[in-house]
Amino acid sequence: MRAFGAVLLSVPVTLFGLVLVTFLIGRVMPIDPIIAILGDHAREDVVAKLRLELGLDRSLPVQFVLYLGRLLHGDLGNSVMTSHSVVADIGQFFPATLELATVAIIIGVVVGVPLGVLAAVRQGSRTDHAIRVFCLAGHSIPVFVLGLLSLLVFYAKLGWAPGTGRIDVAFEGMVPSVTGFLTVDALLAQDWDSFWSAVGHLMQPAGVLGYFSVAYIARMTRAFMLDALGEEYVTTARAKGLSPLRVIWRHAFPNILVRLITVLALSYAGLLEGAVVTETVFSWPGLGQYLTVSLLNADMNAVLGATLVIGMSYMGLNLLADLAYRLMDPRVL
Amino acid sequence: MLTRRTLLAAGAASAIVPIEATWHTAAATPKGIFVMAKQIDDIVSFDPAQAYEFTNGEVDANCYSRLVRPDSKDNSQVAPDLAASWDVSKDGKEITFKLKKTHKFATGRVVNAHDVAFSFQRAVKLNLTPGFIVTQFGFTKDNCEQLLTAVDDSTFKMTLPKVQATSFVLFCLSATIGSIVDRETVMKHDAGGDLGNKWLTSTTAGSGSYQLTKWAASDSVILDANPHALKKPVNHRVVIRHTPEPSAQLLALEKGDADVVRDLTSELLTKAKANKAYHISKSGQGSITYLGLNCSVPQFAKIEVREAFKWAIDYDGIVNNIVPNIYEVSQSFLPVGLPGALKDNPFKRDVAKAKALLAKAGYPNGFEITMDHFNTAPYVDIAQAVQANLKDIGVTVNLLPAEKKQVYTKMRARTHQMLLSGWGTDYFDPNSNAQAFCANPDDSDGSKLKILAWRCHYFDPELTQMVEDAVVELDAKKRLAMYGKMQELARERSPFVFLMQPIATAVMGKGVSGFVMGPVFDDTKYAEVKKA
């Protein structure tokens, strides 16, 4: 547990580093933050007034210390783009991303792991080749192409799926926001029409992201399983006459779990951060889109806040993975 | 035979089919709800004292009344909105407005002169980004309560600290910042003396056709009809969905999930035009795309070089090949549609003439220069076309693509050599762009006026004086003629190569009509949109 304690201690240090680097990048960019806030048309008196108000006339170290002070009080400042506090914005945007990424990772695990195992067990067969091609396509076709294709086929041509956004227009604004997860909120409100509409809207973007995850998870699972299936304990199990399913799921699979958990944790964290293209194509108001728009508009409070949340998500998932190692494998201290 | 495999497949399908069936029937937007797909991540605040972007300006125009609005039939006039009439004193310093008693806020209260006085005083006191539109008349925090007053419930008097052209003042009052807010409701939400600014960021308190019900940034805007609106809107609800991807917008229109889409690219517009069921509304916008030449660069200090650049550009080629449908050639600092704008385009590509002018300036072999430009479409392609055009006259242009605000920062620091940029008019009056492109009374770093002429070190006392004279000219016709002259002079000698004007387009889906746009976003009205 001492090692785990060290990992826990490294969290604030890493967060401090993350804040420092992001802050410095924001300040050394060749963009005047005041122009980013007020725009090109702003007159000089208004520019000067705001520069004073925001303390941007002070030295960089002083600005950083002031920012840290506010941060420790939970104040991430206000977003230029929305005029809301960054904390409120994150409260609005992050659940949308979390909902999307969670469904996508569930698809990734439920489909990707069995596919990877199947490919490894039938190494060299047509099934293996088919799975590898399927995974290669998922990993190499850009997500925005997949997204647009998906919209074209399932929404425009076949009419099997609804269009962009999180819910049908008819239900827009009907569900009171409690958790920020539209599906959950609709369930809490017992509004079944809104629930099914939200589920329908979630399926396409989650499916596209899920396919991307499936491709990665299946490839990694296949590689881990091939290693495991070549081990002596598997040969022993087979020699003892155990059924193939028992050999695979009771002997080989548990031994790849530790490595697989790392893959899943990183994959999930990647989805939380990297869903921006999918969010844009499907007009999904998530954190990736918020971060991108903020970056393009040099909205540094928003960029810092969103980066911090993503960084914390990464660290949280890593910690969870560390904990899971200990549960899965008693040899890990 | 029922196998385990078919049973599983049937089970999975049965879970999907009922949901699929409900989506399949959605071929039109719900009755009474007007749905528009648009990029709306430019919204910062809906407070009229702060709103300065396109989408929030457009929404505010549908939620608030103003004293006057630009007259859509005659762009040299304003039309009354809240004001029934107005009188101007002989010296032009006092304008007295008589108000109609017909406009009501969403609370049901009739708009009165106290609301009008409060709204203008509030804009001056807050002095946020668009504040200069009102403060440029000389109003300050200290004098606004004495100079912007309610004489009685239906009479509002504006006393100008200095003489201003009446048409100039009226056009400025027609801007978003001239929106009249509900004084009583707003002051109930005053927080720490912010005059309700924080509250009005994400709501409205006006007497227009609609009121803002919900704004989820980068997601959607929902407006519901003002129950006491002067004229009941055709649709009781407007939903504007943030749809950043133009292809997704067109798909939504085709599937009946949107009634109007706003941001189609040139290619998608061509495709949409081919569908006879769609109607396209378009209007030239109050913006201009231009090349800015920094006169601190020795070559650009020479008027012949600036002129050579104006003759070197293939204006028609750029518009027709790079941005068809969404831009038109425009070679004046006033975009077509604004009062006093010249409509002719005198410059055509003439390589021989451009080369001769360069030789006359002492650069027969051309020179090398850098050009900053935005790194987004269509600017990247336009920059490359400009680079190729100038190469033909011997000028080597090294392109410096960058994020938009990076280009602005560099220009404001006057460290660019040449740039490709755009400028949108601040209010519906020729002074807005005339001042930006021509006025530079003090070219030093300490100047109080640092707009485009200053940023390009363009110091032209004659044009500067003309701008100052026009803004106090009380004869409206004579005033417009002055802007005509200014545009001609600026074409000839300014360091700005005016290229083109954006054309806003809205594609209306099958059976949709009544969506009309104008040269400024304030002209876009939602209340008259009809669906079959």
Side-chain angles (χ1 to χ4, degrees), chain A residues 87-139:
Chain A
V87 173
D89 279 349
I90 288 171
Q92 180 201 326
F93 289 100
F94 193 51
T97 295
L98 208 57
E99 188 178 36
L100 183 61
T102 304
V103 176
I105 198 72
I106 289 171
I107 294 172
V109 173
V110 170
V111 182
V113 172
L115 275 186
V117 172
L118 185 66
V121 172
R122 299 196 179 172
Q123 188 190 9
S125 68
R126 281 185 185 174
T127 309
D128 181 28
H129 290 313
I131 291 171
R132 287 168 67 189
V133 168
F134 176 75
C135 293
L136 192 69
H139 218 66

Side-chain angles (χ1 to χ4, degrees), chain B residues 148-408:
Chain B
L148 298 161
T149 54
V151 177
D152 55 46
D153 276 358
S154 59
T155 312
F156 168 68
K157 190 163 87 175
M158 175 179 274
T159 308
L160 298 163
K162 54 188 178 186
V163 175
Q164 303 280 353
T166 306
S167 58
F168 171 47
V169 177
L170 291 175
F171 278 129
C172 287
L173 299 188
S174 75
T176 305
I177 200 163
S179 303
I180 307 306
V181 301
D182 180 342
R183 175 177 46 100
E184 291 175 5
T185 308
V186 167
M187 284 314 287
K188 277 181 196 161
H189 295 89
D190 176 82
D194 76 341
L195 300 172
N197 172 243
K198 190 171 168 52
W199 180 72
L200 274 181
T201 291
S202 39
T203 189
T204 54
S207 55
S209 304
Y210 288 98
Q211 54 182 327
L212 179 64
T213 301
K214 184 190 163 201
W215 167 43
S218 294
D219 181 19
S220 60
V221 169
I222 300 177
L223 309 177
D224 283 315
N226 173 358
H228 303 285
L230 187 59
K231 191 179 172 193
K232 193 181 171 191
V234 176
N235 297 292
H236 66 83
R237 173 169 274 204
V238 177
V239 177
I240 310 173
R241 300 195 89 160
H242 178 52
T243 313
E245 174 55 46
S247 313
Q249 288 194 9
L250 188 58
L251 274 180
L253 192 74
E254 285 170 356
K255 294 298 290 180
D257 285 341
D259 298 310
V260 168
V261 296
R262 301 287 297 275
D263 307 293
L264 298 191
T265 58
S266 291
E267 297 79 14
L268 293 174
L269 268 174
T270 307
K271 193 179 167 193
K273 273 182 176 176
N275 190 331
K276 301 287 179 209
Y278 298 160
H279 299 286
I280 296 180
S281 168
K282 63 179 191 174
S283 173
Q285 294 297 282
S287 303
I288 202 86
T289 303
Y290 68 93
L291 298 177
L293 318 177
N294 191 335
C295 295
S296 69
V297 175
Q299 290 90 333
F300 294 140
K302 298 191 174 183
I303 194 166
E304 293 87 356
V305 174
R306 299 181 215 160
E307 209 181 332
F309 273 45
K310 290 167 189 172
W311 287 106
I313 302 298
D314 181 8
Y315 302 88
D316 291 328
I318 290 174
V319 166
N320 295 334
N321 298 316
I322 300 175
V323 283
N325 302 316
I326 55 171
Y327 277 90
E328 278 177 2
V329 175
S330 184
Q331 295 177 347
S332 295
F333 63 68
L334 287 181
V336 175
L338 258 75
L342 297 181
K343 291 178 181 167
D344 62 321
N345 295 312
F347 298 106
K348 297 272 180 246
R349 180 167 161 79
D350 187 337
V351 175
K353 188 171 182 175
K355 276 184 168 177
L357 282 162
L358 272 190
K360 190 178 167 192
Y363 301 102
N365 301 316
F367 52 87
E368 197 168 333
I369 204 83
T370 60
M371 182 167 85
D372 296 273
H373 64 89
F374 307 148
N375 56 5
T376 50
Y379 291 96
V380 175
D381 291 335
I382 296 169
Q384 287 171 0
V386 168
Q387 183 187 42
N389 289 165
L390 293 176
K391 186 77 185 165
D392 291 343
I393 63 165
V395 176
T396 303
V397 180
N398 298 312
L399 300 180
L400 301 175
E403 202 280 316
K404 194 177 265 189
K405 287 175 178 170
Q406 194 175 330
V407 175
Y408 290 151

Side-chain angles (χ1 to χ4, degrees), chain B residues 36-203:
Chain B
M36 183 161 62
K38 189 181 186 301
Q39 293 171 9
I40 60 166
D41 51 10
D42 62 333
I43 299 171
V44 171
S45 167
F46 287 95
D47 185 343
Q50 188 176 1
Y52 204 50
E53 295 73 28
F54 290 104
T55 307
N56 37 356
E58 181 177 304
V59 169
D60 275 352
N62 286 278
C63 295
Y64 289 96
S65 304
R66 298 165 195 175
L67 287 174
V68 290
R69 287 184 186 269
D71 189 340
S72 54
K73 291 171 190 153
D74 177 2
N75 68 2
S76 65
Q77 302 284 333
V78 290
D81 186 4
L82 264 176
S85 63
W86 53 91
D87 291 316
V88 185
S89 64
K90 279 187 181 174
D91 63 359
K93 287 178 73 173
E94 273 186 18
I95 309 177
T96 307
F97 294 89
K98 278 284 175 193
L99 306 186
K100 296 171 187 168
K101 293 177 181 170
T102 48
H103 290 62
K104 289 181 181 174
F105 293 115
T107 56
R109 189 169 67 78
V110 175
V111 183
N112 63 37
H114 299 283
D115 296 303
V116 178
F118 171 78
S119 300
F120 285 112
Q121 290 170 11
R122 182 177 179 273
V124 172
K125 287 174 184 171
L126 288 173
N127 195 19
L128 299 167
T129 308
F132 75 92
I133 297 173
V134 184
T135 59
Q136 64 184 335
F137 304 135
F139 298 122
T140 63
K141 281 179 189 172
D142 300 327
N143 69 16
C144 65
E145 287 184 17
Q146 288 77 48
L147 301 177
L148 298 161
T149 54
V151 177
D152 55 46
D153 276 358
S154 59
T155 312
F156 168 68
K157 190 163 87 175
M158 175 179 274
T159 308
L160 298 163
K162 54 188 178 186
V163 175
Q164 303 280 353
T166 306
S167 58
F168 171 47
V169 177
L170 291 175
F171 278 129
C172 287
L173 299 188
S174 75
T176 305
I177 200 163
S179 303
I180 307 306
V181 301
D182 180 342
R183 175 177 46 100
E184 291 175 5
T185 308
V186 167
M187 284 314 287
K188 277 181 196 161
H189 295 89
D190 176 82
D194 76 341
L195 300 172
N197 172 243
K198 190 171 168 52
W199 180 72
L200 274 181
T201 291
S202 39
T203 189

Side-chain angles (χ1 to χ4, degrees), chain A residues 44-193:
Chain A
E44 287 311 305
D45 56 334
V46 181
V47 169
K49 191 176 104 184
L50 190 64
R51 203 179 294 282
L52 272 177
E53 277 175 20
L54 296 183
L56 291 171
D57 55 326
R58 302 187 181 189
S59 69
L60 212 56
V62 173
Q63 287 182 41
F64 183 64
V65 169
L66 288 174
Y67 180 79
L68 269 187
R70 288 198 302 270
L71 191 64
L72 290 173
H73 288 91
D75 178 9
L76 293 170
N78 278 359
S79 159
V80 175
M81 291 306 300
T82 65
S83 294
H84 298 147
S85 78
V86 173
V87 173
D89 279 349
I90 288 171
Q92 180 201 326
F93 289 100
F94 193 51
T97 295
L98 208 57
E99 188 178 36
L100 183 61
T102 304
V103 176
I105 198 72
I106 289 171
I107 294 172
V109 173
V110 170
V111 182
V113 172
L115 275 186
V117 172
L118 185 66
V121 172
R122 299 196 179 172
Q123 188 190 9
S125 68
R126 281 185 185 174
T127 309
D128 181 28
H129 290 313
I131 291 171
R132 287 168 67 189
V133 168
F134 176 75
C135 293
L136 192 69
H139 218 66
S140 36
I141 300 174
V143 176
F144 79 92
V145 174
L146 275 180
L148 286 174
L149 272 176
S150 166
L151 275 176
L152 194 68
V153 175
F154 297 110
Y155 168 52
K157 298 288 178 197
L158 301 173
W160 288 2
T164 58
R166 289 183 81 187
I167 200 162
D168 283 343
V169 169
F171 307 113
E172 192 84 64
M174 305 281 275
V175 180
S177 182
V178 180
T179 63
F181 291 75
L182 208 45
T183 45
V184 177
D185 288 346
L187 275 179
L188 290 176
Q190 297 189 336
D191 182 344
W192 297 105
D193 290 336

